[in-house]
Structures are given as structure tokens and as C-alpha cells.
Amino acid sequence: MIDIALVGIGKIALDQHVPALKSSDAWNLAATVSRSGKVKGVESHADFDAFLKARPDIRVISLCLPPVPRFDYAEAALRAGRHVMLEKPPGATLSECEKLAELAQSQRLTLYATWHSRAAAMVPAAKEWLADKSLKRLQVTWKEDVRRWHPGQDWIWEPGGLGVFDPGINALSILTEILPDKLHLKNATLEVPENKQGPIAAALDFVHPHGAKVSADFDWRQEDDQIWQIEAVTDAGALLLDEGGGRMFIDGQEHSASAAALSGEYPRLYARMAELLATGACDTDFEPMRHVADAFLLGHRKIVDPFYD
């Protein structure tokens, strides 16, 4: 088994990373680093630099910190000769992400910029189905309740926290994975609460190289049923990815996932990290991040009512 340290013991770490690691035959959660969070029965450290000095034997680091401080931790880990796995988004800026990729390559270390929604059960099947189809129209609808999924996480509204693009980038990670053609953003509208820095909703329009209409609608104010859908109309039928990529319908008929896909998103991420380590490779696709950066560059800001958790 491979020893790994988990850095940043918050909600996502406890809900997803810890169970995935504890259920894996490939990984041993050997230590955690956090100012306040701990995992029962696992060695804990409060200071990352002190941890790196104390445990040179732990060669793999998984970073679950918010995006703004993540770069400093990732750079320190790589310079200390450790392989690094990044929670999404991989950083606060594209420049940070690209610098980490260059550093990992120069150090001959593995860097894995994860996109957990790409590991959803039906994403590979959707990609395969769309590969030889002519796309006519695609609509992303990603609407959820921020109070339910990110309670009290003030950092998510600050610069670098992405606002509604924190979940929206999950949709973009699926979109850029399943489409055979590369898109670029044409325009965007960002709805920003008057008491926040980050947007609470966003509407995006993309340019498709063959003229298909591609758009996305993100909203953090969805109080009833949560909606995570991608609908694609092609020359050979219509595809619906529902429940964040967990279910797929072709012309209304549901297709089932393989047993491996049903194991869960985060177990599949850690299986991928083990593969990268075995081959000495990196996986650093920053395309979803690029679309978010373009949205902030091109987006028309519309100030809306204040929002309170």
C-alpha cells in the first residue's frame, strides 16, 4: 500500500477523501495536516513545513485546501520531492496551475489535477456515444443550494473562491471531457450579490467549431430539487446526463453503468493517482479552469440582491 498524507481536513476531505482512502487496497492514510481537523486513529500535524521535515517517508500528498492557499502548499510539497494530488479547482489562477505543472515536470514528480465529476459513473459512456455524432445543440443546467452544500464557507465568496463556479466548474470539467471538439467562450453574464465578491449565478455561451449552440446556466439559489444536467442534441439522437453525470439517457432510455463506475467518483480518482505514480506520469488538464477565467474576463456583471447564509 502507498502511504499518503491528506492536507486540509474539512468537509470535502471528511465526506469524500477519507472514505475513499480507507476503502482502498492501494492506499494507506498515514497522516493528516490541518489547523483544526483530524481523522480518528490517524497521525495529525498542524504545520505543513514541520510535517514535511518530520515525515520524509510519506511521498504522496493530497491537498484538500481552498484554492487560494493551495499553490504554496503544492509548491512546497513538490520542492520537497513529494508527488501531489490537487482537489478541484487546481488553483486560484491559471498561472499558478501552469507553474505547478512545470515544476512537477522539472522534478520528475507526479502532479494530478483532479476533476471529480469526470469520474462520475456515466461520463465515459457519454464521451464514447458523442465521439462520432454531429452536435446540434448542448445545454448545461447546474443549479444547487449553496446553503446545503457549502454552509458557512465564506472563502468561497471571496476573490479566488470562484463563487457559483465552484460547482459550475464541475459541469465544465464534464463538458470538456465528453465533447470531441474544443470550445471557447463567447460571452457571459455574472450575477453578483451586492454584499459578495463572487457570482451567485452565471450564464455562458460558447463557440463550437461546427456551429452547434452550446450554453450553460449556473445558479446557487436552487432551494428545491437540485439540478445537475447536460443535454446534447445530435444528428443521431439526444443524450441527457443527469445527477452530475451519474445517470445517462439516450432518446429517453436509461443506460446503466459498469460495476467499476459505481464504485464512486473519489475512489476512481485515487485509482487514477495510483496509475500515474506507477507510470511516472502527470495529469494536468486545466481546460475547465480556462473557461472560468474567460468568464471572469468577458462576463457582464449584474449586481443582484444581497445574499446571506
Side-chain angles (χ1 to χ4, degrees):
M1 297 181 76
I2 308 166
D3 284 346
I4 190 170
L6 198 57
V7 181
I9 308 302
K11 180 175 173 56
I12 191 68
L14 294 173
D15 289 352
Q16 301 293 346
H17 290 261
V18 172
L21 288 167
K22 288 195 170 183
S23 65
S24 173
D25 294 331
W27 295 97
N28 172 49
L29 180 53
T32 65
V33 183
S34 177
R35 289 179 295 180
S36 56
K38 294 184 179 181
V39 176
K40 186 177 180 180
V42 178
E43 173 188 317
S44 63
H45 299 257
D47 181 84
F48 188 57
D49 289 334
F51 157 76
L52 290 174
K53 292 177 182 177
R55 294 300 307 267
D57 56 307
I58 299 178
R59 309 302 301 168
V60 185
I61 310 293
S62 181
L63 295 178
C64 305
L65 302 157
V68 169
R70 195 176 299 153
F71 172 81
D72 290 340
Y73 283 75
E75 183 182 37
L78 290 169
R79 292 196 184 281
R82 316 303 170 91
H83 306 284
V84 175
M85 183 171 172
L86 300 168
E87 177 58 82
K88 69 85 191 174
T93 70
L94 279 169
S95 294
E96 288 183 355
C97 297
E98 290 165 354
K99 184 174 180 180
L100 290 177
E102 292 168 2
L103 179 58
Q105 185 176 19
S106 69
Q107 299 281 78
R108 297 185 179 180
L109 294 167
T110 291
L111 179 67
Y112 181 22
T114 71
W115 300 104
H116 69 81
S117 289
R118 284 185 176 176
M122 298 308 299
V123 169
K127 179 178 181 177
E128 181 179 2
W129 190 84
L130 287 168
D132 60 353
K133 309 292 189 302
S134 177
L135 185 68
K136 304 299 182 184
R137 176 174 56 83
L138 185 145
Q139 173 67 42
V140 176
T141 307
W142 224 255
K143 298 184 177 183
E144 63 181 58
D145 185 354
V146 64
R147 292 186 177 98
R148 182 190 304 186
W149 301 104
H150 300 280
Q153 296 182 27
D154 292 338
W155 62 266
I156 217 161
W157 296 104
E158 296 301 318
L162 299 190
V164 75
F165 287 105
D166 181 79
I169 204 169
N170 295 334
L172 295 174
S173 74
I174 295 176
L175 182 64
T176 53
E177 176 69 10
I178 64 175
L179 287 185
D181 299 301
K182 195 170 183 177
L183 308 170
H184 72 267
L185 192 69
K186 178 169 60 176
N187 55 61
T189 299
L190 311 180
E191 296 187 27
V192 182
E194 64 179 35
N195 62 333
K196 302 292 184 184
Q197 293 290 315
I200 198 168
L204 311 180
D205 291 312
F206 294 90
V207 175
H208 184 272
H210 304 299
K213 178 177 174 57
V214 179
S215 56
D217 186 12
F218 304 146
D219 203 314
W220 246 354
R221 300 166 294 196
Q222 184 76 10
E223 295 183 355
D224 298 318
D225 292 340
Q226 308 293 278
I227 303 171
W228 301 294
Q229 294 182 339
I230 298 177
E231 300 175 87
V233 177
T234 76
D235 62 337
L239 174 147
L240 171 64
L241 270 181
D242 200 2
E243 298 183 10
R247 301 176 70 186
M248 183 178 79
F249 301 81
I250 304 296
D251 294 330
Q253 181 177 353
E254 185 165 11
H255 290 237
S256 60
S258 67
L262 294 173
S263 65
E265 295 176 7
Y266 281 82
R268 293 180 71 186
L269 293 182
Y270 279 101
R272 173 63 174 158
M273 182 63 176
E275 292 174 357
L276 293 170
L277 288 170
T279 58
C282 291
D283 187 342
T284 54
D285 178 12
F286 303 135
E287 195 65 14
M289 187 78 173
R290 195 175 307 281
H291 288 314
V292 173
D294 286 350
F296 278 102
L297 283 168
L298 288 174
H300 169 75
R301 268 79 170 168
K302 178 182 178 183
I303 303 302
V304 298
D305 292 340
F307 179 83
Y308 302 98
D309 289 337

